[in-house]
Amino acid sequence: MIALAEECFISQIAEIEKAAFSDAWSEKSLESALLDETGIFLAEVDGGEVRGYIIGSCDGFSGYIERIAVSADHRKKGIGKQLLSAFEKALTQTAESISLEVRASNSPAIGLYGSFGFERAGVRRNMYSSPKEDGIVMIKKVIK
Protein backbone atom coordinates (compact mmCIF):
# COMPACT_ATOMS: atom_id res chain seq x y z
CA MET A 1 0.00 0.00 0.00
CA ILE A 2 1.30 3.44 -0.94
CA ALA A 3 0.76 6.02 1.79
CA LEU A 4 2.34 9.12 3.25
CA ALA A 5 5.56 8.17 4.99
CA GLU A 6 5.50 8.26 8.76
CA GLU A 7 8.23 8.94 11.29
CA CYS A 8 8.11 5.32 12.47
CA PHE A 9 9.34 4.24 9.00
CA ILE A 10 12.46 6.44 8.93
CA SER A 11 14.92 3.77 10.14
CA GLN A 12 13.71 1.29 7.51
CA ILE A 13 13.82 3.96 4.81
CA ALA A 14 17.36 4.87 5.91
CA GLU A 15 18.44 1.24 5.44
CA ILE A 16 17.01 1.14 1.90
CA GLU A 17 18.64 4.52 1.23
CA LYS A 18 22.08 3.26 2.36
CA ALA A 19 21.82 0.19 0.14
CA ALA A 20 20.62 2.17 -2.90
CA PHE A 21 22.77 5.31 -2.90
CA SER A 22 26.48 6.01 -2.45
CA ASP A 23 25.48 9.44 -1.10
CA ALA A 24 22.76 8.18 1.23
CA TRP A 25 20.78 10.70 3.22
CA SER A 26 21.04 10.45 7.01
CA GLU A 27 18.05 9.67 9.19
CA LYS A 28 18.05 13.35 10.19
CA SER A 29 17.84 14.40 6.50
CA LEU A 30 15.02 11.93 5.93
CA GLU A 31 13.18 13.28 8.97
CA SER A 32 13.58 16.83 7.61
CA ALA A 33 12.10 15.70 4.28
CA LEU A 34 9.18 14.19 6.16
CA LEU A 35 8.47 17.52 7.86
CA ASP A 36 8.91 19.67 4.73
CA GLU A 37 5.58 21.37 4.02
CA THR A 38 6.31 21.57 0.28
CA GLY A 39 7.48 17.99 0.18
CA ILE A 40 5.86 14.77 -0.87
CA PHE A 41 7.20 11.72 0.93
CA LEU A 42 5.44 8.47 0.12
CA ALA A 43 6.26 4.90 1.14
CA GLU A 44 5.11 1.49 -0.04
CA VAL A 45 4.43 -0.49 3.11
CA ASP A 46 3.19 -4.03 3.58
CA GLY A 47 2.59 -5.40 7.06
CA GLY A 48 4.76 -2.72 8.65
CA GLU A 49 7.64 -3.40 6.25
CA VAL A 50 8.76 -0.53 4.04
CA ARG A 51 9.47 -1.85 0.55
CA GLY A 52 10.17 1.44 -1.20
CA TYR A 53 9.78 5.19 -1.03
CA ILE A 54 9.77 8.35 -3.09
CA ILE A 55 10.71 11.84 -1.92
CA GLY A 56 9.98 14.96 -3.90
CA SER A 57 8.58 18.43 -3.81
CA CYS A 58 6.40 20.85 -5.72
CA ASP A 59 6.57 24.63 -5.86
CA GLY A 60 3.09 24.91 -7.33
CA PHE A 61 4.24 24.70 -10.94
CA SER A 62 7.08 22.18 -11.07
CA GLY A 63 7.45 18.88 -9.31
CA TYR A 64 10.86 17.43 -8.55
CA ILE A 65 11.77 13.86 -7.61
CA GLU A 66 14.69 13.90 -5.22
CA ARG A 67 14.87 10.23 -4.25
CA ILE A 68 13.19 6.99 -5.20
CA ALA A 69 14.32 3.56 -4.10
CA VAL A 70 12.98 0.06 -3.65
CA SER A 71 14.57 -2.47 -1.30
CA ALA A 72 16.71 -5.05 -3.09
CA ASP A 73 14.37 -7.89 -2.02
CA HIS A 74 11.36 -6.23 -3.67
CA ARG A 75 12.73 -4.90 -6.95
CA LYS A 76 11.18 -5.92 -10.27
CA LYS A 77 7.73 -6.24 -8.68
CA GLY A 78 6.22 -2.98 -9.88
CA ILE A 79 6.79 -1.01 -6.67
CA GLY A 80 8.80 1.71 -8.44
CA LYS A 81 5.96 2.12 -10.94
CA GLN A 82 3.41 2.36 -8.13
CA LEU A 83 5.49 5.00 -6.35
CA LEU A 84 5.93 7.07 -9.50
CA SER A 85 2.21 6.84 -10.26
CA ALA A 86 1.28 7.93 -6.74
CA PHE A 87 3.74 10.85 -6.86
CA GLU A 88 2.40 11.98 -10.22
CA LYS A 89 -1.19 11.68 -8.99
CA ALA A 90 -0.33 13.87 -5.99
CA LEU A 91 0.83 16.60 -8.39
CA THR A 92 -1.79 16.49 -11.14
CA GLN A 93 -3.76 19.46 -9.81
CA THR A 94 -0.76 21.77 -9.38
CA ALA A 95 2.36 20.83 -11.34
CA GLU A 96 2.89 21.45 -15.02
CA SER A 97 6.00 19.28 -15.15
CA ILE A 98 8.07 16.86 -13.09
CA SER A 99 11.85 16.65 -13.31
CA LEU A 100 14.58 14.46 -11.89
CA GLU A 101 18.22 13.52 -12.33
CA VAL A 102 19.50 9.99 -12.70
CA ARG A 103 22.97 8.48 -13.04
CA ALA A 104 23.88 8.01 -16.70
CA SER A 105 24.67 4.34 -16.02
CA ASN A 106 21.34 3.57 -14.33
CA SER A 107 19.66 2.04 -17.37
CA PRO A 108 16.83 0.35 -15.42
CA ALA A 109 15.78 3.67 -13.85
CA ILE A 110 16.12 5.55 -17.14
CA GLY A 111 13.90 2.91 -18.76
CA LEU A 112 11.32 3.17 -15.98
CA TYR A 113 11.19 6.96 -16.23
CA GLY A 114 10.96 6.74 -20.02
CA SER A 115 8.00 4.38 -19.73
CA PHE A 116 6.25 7.11 -17.71
CA GLY A 117 6.82 9.72 -20.39
CA PHE A 118 9.95 11.36 -18.98
CA GLU A 119 12.27 12.62 -21.69
CA ARG A 120 15.96 13.44 -21.58
CA ALA A 121 16.39 17.18 -21.26
CA GLY A 122 20.10 17.53 -20.62
CA VAL A 123 23.23 16.29 -18.94
CA ARG A 124 24.89 17.52 -15.76
CA ARG A 125 28.56 16.74 -16.13
CA ASN A 126 30.17 14.99 -13.14
CA MET A 127 27.05 15.48 -11.04
CA TYR A 128 27.64 12.34 -9.01
CA SER A 129 30.62 11.18 -7.01
CA SER A 130 31.53 7.73 -5.69
CA PRO A 131 31.89 7.00 -8.56
CA LYS A 132 32.14 10.22 -10.52
CA GLU A 133 29.46 10.20 -13.20
CA ASP A 134 27.21 12.41 -15.29
CA GLY A 135 23.58 12.94 -14.37
CA ILE A 136 20.85 12.73 -16.97
CA VAL A 137 18.13 15.37 -16.48
CA MET A 138 14.69 14.05 -17.35
CA ILE A 139 11.42 16.00 -17.53
CA LYS A 140 7.80 15.04 -17.98
CA LYS A 141 4.94 17.37 -18.81
CA VAL A 142 1.98 16.64 -16.56
CA ILE A 143 -1.32 16.05 -18.35
CA LYS A 144 -4.17 17.54 -16.37
Side-chain angles (χ1 to χ4, degrees):
M1 174 178 74
I2 307 284
L4 292 174
E6 298 178 28
E7 191 171 347
C8 63
F9 299 140
I10 293 295
S11 63
Q12 289 184 67
I13 291 169
E15 289 303 312
I16 296 170
E17 176 82 4
K18 285 180 204 170
F21 298 105
S22 62
D23 62 343
W25 289 6
S26 67
E27 285 193 27
K28 185 172 182 147
S29 294
L30 292 166
E31 288 171 358
S32 292
L34 186 66
L35 299 173
D36 183 352
E37 291 181 10
T38 65
I40 300 167
F41 195 155
L42 305 172
E44 201 286 332
V45 182
D46 185 26
E49 176 189 10
V50 176
R51 295 181 174 191
Y53 62 92
I54 188 167
I55 302 170
S57 60
C58 183
D59 65 7
F61 299 102
S62 301
Y64 179 71
I65 296 173
E66 296 179 52
R67 303 299 249 200
I68 181 171
V70 176
S71 68
D73 294 344
H74 300 311
R75 290 185 186 146
K76 307 277 187 204
K77 297 180 181 178
I79 294 170
K81 289 179 181 179
Q82 292 172 12
L83 288 163
L84 277 170
S85 290
F87 185 85
E88 187 174 307
K89 186 176 180 181
L91 297 181
T92 56
Q93 299 302 313
T94 57
E96 296 177 4
S97 65
I98 302 171
S99 64
L100 58 87
E101 289 94 16
V102 59
R103 281 183 180 270
S105 65
N106 193 343
S107 297
I110 292 169
L112 173 64
Y113 303 139
S115 74
F116 271 75
F118 284 84
E119 297 178 353
R120 292 176 187 238
V123 175
R124 294 201 176 157
R125 300 280 175 221
N126 299 316
M127 179 179 170
Y128 295 98
S129 58
S130 300
K132 193 173 233 182
E133 188 171 356
D134 293 345
I136 304 295
V137 178
M138 301 185 81
I139 298 175
K140 176 182 180 171
K141 298 290 182 196
V142 175
I143 299 170
K144 295 182 181 186

